[in-house]
Amino acid sequence: MELLDGKLVSEKIKLEIAEEAAQFLASTGRKPHLTAILVGNDGGSETYVASKMKNCEKVGFQSSLVRYDNTVTEAELLNKIREINADTGVDGLIVQLPLPKHIDPEKVTETIDYRKDVDGFHPINLGRMVRNLPCFIPATPYGILLMLQAYHIDTTGKHCVVVGRSNIVGTPMSILMARNANPGNCTVTLTHSKTRDLKEQVLQADIVIAAIGKKNFITADMVKPGAIIIDVGINRETSTQTKSGYKLYGDVDFEHVAPKASYITPVPGGVGLMTIVGLLKNTLASAKGEIY
Ligand code: GUN
């Protein structure tokens, strides 16, 4: 079993990004600029956005955080998005999800200018991704592709089983793994909460991508010996053993699955760190006008 080391790979790619950001600054006189909007005080969202902002600084990007409390109206939020769309000094704009119930996430996603949509959630980016055209690929799936690339894993012809069909991870991941590209060229099965024979499906997988949001959901009896295991889960539980007051668990029962796997991502230290890299790469590409 070999660990897919998100720390190692993400640090290496961030060095490359920092070099390119420095070149960009030297030639344009400005830094690539990511703006994030955070609504409310969700613990997970606070942590993720703080990490995105910190990593921007690390690689020499400008970062801006716009905060609203839970009571912000949808109209107010959409107006702020339009204002940032029009700001030529901003390359990338993300609105951290989830949003409070009174705000329609679809409206938010479609209001963001697709040319600044470095989350890759806008229907134009999604459609272009399906058609294998230049686009922003959602950060977590992008990070997973970069991880597979970093370890020179040939995915061609393999059976990839994706567990979970979210807009953010499962659905785009299933499309990317089936595309005529590398990584890609897999036979893909997209499974979800209504899948009848989930264990039998996952047992067929050469590559398992677990993005279901349930602690230790993928157990050793569901995994074929030698499978590649990608664990997207970030399940937070309060803990008295850690400084932060919580502990993270993946969607995979790492202790029992790892001995059967050929490659596996740990949690923490796996996909989560690669997600940030995906976002940074999209922001840099946007600044450089490489996609639109
Ligand atoms: N919430 C969970 N993952 C993401 C992400 O990749 N982007 C945004 N904006 N919100 C999220």
Side-chain angles (χ1 to χ4, degrees):
M1 183 273 294
E2 189 174 352
L3 213 56
L4 296 170
D5 187 338
K7 179 88 184 147
L8 191 81
V9 176
S10 67
E11 292 299 332
K12 179 165 179 283
I13 300 178
K14 281 192 276 185
L15 283 177
E16 296 165 10
I17 295 170
E19 254 177 52
E20 286 193 56
Q23 281 166 18
F24 182 81
L25 174 61
S27 62
T28 66
R30 69 177 193 92
K31 297 176 176 181
H33 184 184
L34 175 70
T35 294
I37 301 180
L38 175 58
V39 180
N41 303 91
D42 175 77
S45 293
E46 292 268 2
T47 310
Y48 304 146
V49 170
S51 174
K52 290 170 186 180
M53 299 290 99
K54 192 181 80 188
N55 277 282
C56 277
E57 305 304 325
K58 265 197 198 159
V59 298
F61 290 7
Q62 187 181 342
S63 67
S64 307
L65 176 57
V66 179
R67 294 199 65 133
Y68 288 106
D69 59 36
N70 263 316
T71 56
V72 68
T73 64
E74 186 180 270
E76 203 178 336
L77 180 60
L78 296 181
N79 276 331
K80 177 52 91 176
I81 291 169
R82 292 186 191 103
E83 183 189 313
I84 298 167
N85 284 344
D87 182 346
T88 55
V90 175
D91 302 296
L93 169 60
I94 63 171
V95 177
Q96 189 65 26
L97 303 175
L99 290 164
K101 283 195 176 52
H102 66 277
I103 298 174
D104 178 358
E106 300 300 335
K107 269 196 207 167
V108 167
T109 299
E110 294 203 35
T111 300
I112 296 172
D113 187 326
Y114 70 93
R115 293 162 299 186
K116 296 190 181 187
D117 168 41
V118 289
D119 261 333
F121 294 167
H122 193 287
I124 291 179
N125 281 311
L126 182 63
R128 291 177 64 92
M129 183 182 80
V130 174
R131 299 185 69 141
N132 220 349
L133 295 168
C135 64
F136 296 117
I137 294 170
T140 300
Y142 192 8
I144 292 169
L145 297 183
L146 292 166
M147 181 77 107
L148 293 169
Q149 248 167 12
Y151 282 85
H152 308 289
I153 292 170
D154 185 6
T155 60
T156 306
K158 294 212 161 90
H159 189 171
C160 176
V161 175
V162 179
V163 185
R165 59 178 155 188
S166 70
N167 286 330
I168 294 179
V169 184
T171 294
M173 203 66 232
S174 69
I175 293 163
L176 290 161
M177 294 306 279
R179 289 196 312 184
N180 185 1
N182 191 22
N185 284 317
C186 285
T187 304
V188 175
T189 303
L190 178 56
T191 66
H192 47 75
S193 57
K194 302 290 193 298
T195 297
R196 212 182 304 141
D197 49 353
L198 189 79
K199 178 178 167 182
E200 282 64 36
Q201 294 293 336
V202 178
L203 268 169
Q204 300 299 312
D206 303 309
I207 303 172
V208 179
I209 300 179
I212 192 86
K214 292 193 176 123
K215 175 184 168 185
N216 296 347
F217 184 80
I218 303 290
T219 47
D221 59 317
M222 299 169 77
V223 173
K224 179 165 79 175
I228 297 162
I229 311 292
I230 308 293
D231 189 351
V232 183
I234 307 181
N235 303 295
R236 286 158 58 100
E237 282 189 5
T238 52
S239 166
T240 51
Q241 292 159 7
T242 61
K243 225 173 18 177
S244 61
Y246 61 86
K247 196 168 183 304
L248 299 182
Y249 296 90
D251 288 351
V252 176
D253 176 8
F254 185 91
E255 184 191 343
H256 299 104
V257 170
K260 290 183 82 174
S262 58
Y263 294 93
I264 186 166
T265 61
V267 176
V271 171
L273 300 173
M274 296 304 297
T275 293
I276 303 271
V277 169
L279 178 66
L280 295 173
K281 280 184 79 83
N282 278 340
T283 304
L284 180 65
S286 181
K288 293 169 82 173
E290 285 176 351
I291 291 167
Y292 298 111

